[in-house]
Amino acid sequence: AERRLRRMLEHLVAPQLSTVSLDRSVCLSQTANANAAQEDVVYVPGDFARKSLISSRSQYEELYNEAIADPNAFWGRVAAGYFWQKLWDTSKPICNYNFDADKGPVFVEWFKGGYTNVCYNALDRHVLAGHGHQMCFLWEGNDPGQNAYLTYSDVLKKVCQVANFLRARGVKKGDRVCIYMSMICELPIAMLACARIGAVHSVVFGGFSSESLAGRILDCQAKVLLTCSGGRRANKVLPLKQIVDDALQICLKEGNFRVETCLVYDNSFAIPRQNVPWVQGRDVWWQETISQFSVDSPVEWMEAEEPLFMLYTSGSTGKPKGLIHTVGGYMVYAGLTFKHAFDHQAGDIFWCTADCGWITGHTYVAYGPLLNRATSVIFEGVPTFPDAGRWWQIIDKYQVSILYAAPTAIRTLAAQGDEIVRKYSRKSLRLLGSVGEPISPKTWQWFYDVVGDSRCPIVDTWWQTETGGCMIFSLPGAWPMKPGCASLPFFGVQPVILDQEGKEQHGPCEGYLCIKAPWPGVARTVFGDHERYENTYFKTWKGLYTTGDGCRRDADGFIWITGRVDDVLNVSGHRISTGEVEGALVSHPLCTEAAVVGYDHEVKGQAIYAFVSLSHDATPSDALKKQLQDAVRKQIGAFAAPDVIHWAVGLPKTRSGKIMRRILRKIAARQFNDIGDTSSLADPSVVDQLIKGM
Ligand code: PRX
């Protein structure tokens, strides 16, 4: 396998780009006005721009305008690049929709009447065209020295075997299959196997607790669960199968629901087989069982609007929503955004560091790269193990040319200094990407100067679980970049910025970010609760998709994402609901009330600050703080545990009983002189008490 990899790399090494040192100008164009002149602008290195797929703003504008003026022609052309067993109904508009809840149910349809299969387009299409020998996944385990390399043919065979196994266990089109695994190749393989047979996968991030996993299994009534014995992250072992067993117990007790089959990949790197808990009759070992199945498996042709997968995400209130993405639109959007956001070209080695448990991993580890016949790196571990040079070592080892990562990890590595980065060549890199949270100009500049040696553009991509793929991003090579700015919408995406009253603003402005019309990748519904989908995304502002983010538009028309405008937190790029954390805290018998806000954090971007009121017989103590944090770990996952617990005698509430989080945010940020108007509070003295309690 090592030899195979070396041979493959000889062919695939990205073109060497000469180092161009940039003039950092202060204005974007000759005509830029005073507003834009205050922002730094970084020109795309000339060599990159010359070779990029889209190399000017005018070329972008032509395609952007076409996608809006003539979606039938634009998206029809893109979709025709895939195999359709039956073409969509070309006598009707390629997209049919209603975004106005007052006019009837909200719905979105793309490529209606067409039949295709995402797995076929991601694998069979390439193998049948003679590219089966091309590397698909270059897997790097948690510990250096652990690797696995799979070609497109290898992946197809493994996918077929899992697909056949699922069929043999009675899984049919439309059935839900839950996947709870660490970042091993079998995770995307499991997803593709579901896609092949038309089963709807629901991947749950391996950092979620057994209670969270149980909630998701119950909600989607998963027929089969695919997992692995355990995972490794740095020196930690994740007992995934144990967590699964606990979750399935909860499902039985609380929902009287039994998962019929649990397929367990024996990940002996993490946990020895004899230590894995086992339920006879339900559990089966992956390696032994799967090898008995045929490496051929027929494809289930799916109507474009049938579901491909569901993925749970947190909103401001209530339990997580299982967003549904559908076959045709998601495939076309994931494929096209991958190609352009990353300027993907033959020879690239792509590495998205996200976990498949999040949407970034779905679209840019599993589907987008494979739909474009890319070769990608999958990494199981963490950036700082065994030391902070791991990412740079992996880049050199696999000659990675495109690195797509989250600002929180970039900040962690920046804090380790430049020396460890410079120990590695990183010459293969030609493009860097950022996702999940705003990247500050300082972090952007470090990423650009140190990691990319001022030679690789940075594509800052704004999007969401709901959007399926990148929506607003600095299309690499097409225009100069502004550090920290997502910039312009992708083809067909029509952002609208509203003021407080919901009036559309034009020109430079700041306000609520909404989207006017559907793009192919938009989620179609919330599993089992279409009303919640309508209420969450389409009722706030009439006829528009509400993103939940705020933004600013500058004089160049560039969009700067300013962050969530609702009660959703973004901790280390993980989307967390304040309501869910509060729910976990008040489940502790001594906690009577809790209010959670975010505060700025050097590395995590945002950290969680919890104001907690205790029952009269409780005594505040460090032990109690730990119990409360543990309650959140248990109910959601360790990543959601509050960093600060502030004992609160009372909470600032309006006379109607609404907690004023605005005030709590100021207290958490220690901005005591900027608390603002407290006259509408039922008891304004609460604020002083809270400040005294700091
Ligand atoms: O607030 C925005 C932030 O992440 C939210 C979406 O989170 P999730 O559904 O978990 O998907 C994350 C990965 C696509 C958004 O509402 N966000 C995402 N990307 C950016 C961002 N904020 C600023 N800049 C970004 N590039």
Side-chain angles (χ1 to χ4, degrees), residues 313-314 358-360 404 407 434-439 460-467 469 472 484 486 547-549 561-564 568 570 573-575:
T313 194
S314 297
W358 308 107
I359 190 69
T360 309
Y404 188 38
S434 170
V435 61
E437 49 176 318
I439 180 165
D460 178 3
T461 59
W462 172 84
W463 58 295
Q464 309 177 297
T465 305
E466 293 86 344
T467 70
I472 300 179
T547 66
D549 279 308
I561 304 296
T562 49
R564 299 291 303 195
V568 171
N570 191 330
H574 298 331
R575 187 163 151 181

Side-chain angles (χ1 to χ4, degrees), residues 48 341-342 392 395 401-405 429-434 444 446-453 456-460 476:
F48 186 97
F342 306 113
W392 324 126
I395 287 167
S401 56
I402 304 167
L403 171 69
Y404 188 38
L429 285 174
R430 67 177 194 96
L431 176 66
L432 303 171
S434 170
W444 193 102
W446 183 84
F447 202 27
Y448 186 78
D449 290 338
V450 181
V451 177
D453 284 326
C456 311
I458 295 179
V459 53
D460 178 3

Side-chain angles (χ1 to χ4, degrees), residues 401-688:
S401 56
I402 304 167
L403 171 69
Y404 188 38
T408 183
I410 303 165
R411 286 190 298 265
T412 304
L413 294 173
Q416 308 289 318
D418 304 356
E419 206 178 307
I420 189 148
V421 188
R422 299 218 154 100
K423 257 177 63 185
Y424 298 89
S425 144
R426 293 159 287 106
K427 276 280 185 301
S428 56
L429 285 174
R430 67 177 194 96
L431 176 66
L432 303 171
S434 170
V435 61
E437 49 176 318
I439 180 165
S440 70
K442 184 173 152 217
T443 307
W444 193 102
Q445 207 64 54
W446 183 84
F447 202 27
Y448 186 78
D449 290 338
V450 181
V451 177
D453 284 326
S454 310
R455 155 175 62 80
C456 311
I458 295 179
V459 53
D460 178 3
T461 59
W462 172 84
W463 58 295
Q464 309 177 297
T465 305
E466 293 86 344
T467 70
C470 297
M471 295 285 281
I472 300 179
F473 55 93
S474 38
L475 193 63
W479 53 75
M481 300 162 286
K482 297 188 188 185
C485 175
S487 77
L488 296 173
F490 187 55
F491 307 141
V493 173
Q494 300 181 59
V496 171
I497 303 174
L498 304 182
D499 66 11
Q500 294 281 355
E501 277 73 49
K503 211 163 127 283
E504 180 173 351
Q505 305 183 79
H506 299 278
C509 60
E510 188 159 353
Y512 300 116
L513 176 62
C514 294
I515 314 285
K516 197 145 91 193
W519 57 101
V522 62
R524 304 298 198 255
T525 189
V526 167
F527 182 78
D529 197 350
H530 193 67
E531 199 182 333
R532 193 163 174 214
Y533 171 78
E534 293 186 335
N535 289 339
T536 312
Y537 305 109
F538 299 96
K539 290 267 172 82
T540 319
W541 312 111
K542 200 173 149 65
L544 298 172
Y545 166 81
T546 302
T547 66
D549 279 308
C551 73
R552 176 166 77 78
R553 183 165 50 212
D554 69 18
D556 294 308
F558 278 26
I559 292 173
W560 300 69
I561 304 296
T562 49
R564 299 291 303 195
V565 291
D566 52 12
D567 292 325
V568 171
L569 303 173
N570 191 330
V571 179
S572 301
H574 298 331
R575 187 163 151 181
I576 299 169
S577 142
T578 47
E580 267 187 274
V581 178
E582 288 159 3
L585 291 168
V586 298
S587 73
H588 189 287
L590 296 178
C591 173
T592 52
E593 202 169 22
V596 160
V597 293
Y599 69 99
D600 288 348
H601 187 280
E602 266 297 290
V603 172
K604 299 180 180 185
Q606 240 183 351
I608 300 182
Y609 196 111
F611 294 86
V612 172
S613 299
L614 296 175
S615 60
H616 63 277
D617 51 345
T619 315
S621 68
D622 285 348
L624 186 50
K625 273 189 189 173
K626 178 150 186 319
Q627 283 177 24
L628 288 162
Q629 286 165 326
D630 283 346
V632 181
R633 284 192 187 100
K634 187 162 165 280
Q635 287 191 26
I636 305 175
F639 62 90
D643 296 76
V644 180
I645 295 208
H646 184 136
W647 303 122
V649 186
L651 293 171
K653 288 184 192 163
T654 60
R655 279 175 210 101
S656 60
K658 194 171 174 304
I659 295 174
M660 290 188 76
R661 284 171 201 279
R662 169 177 64 76
I663 293 175
L664 294 178
R665 274 188 218 109
K666 294 285 180 195
I667 296 174
R670 296 182 162 265
Q671 293 169 353
F672 306 133
N673 296 329
D674 188 22
I675 297 283
D677 183 15
T678 56
S679 60
S680 59
L681 291 178
D683 175 9
S685 74
V686 162
V687 177
D688 284 336

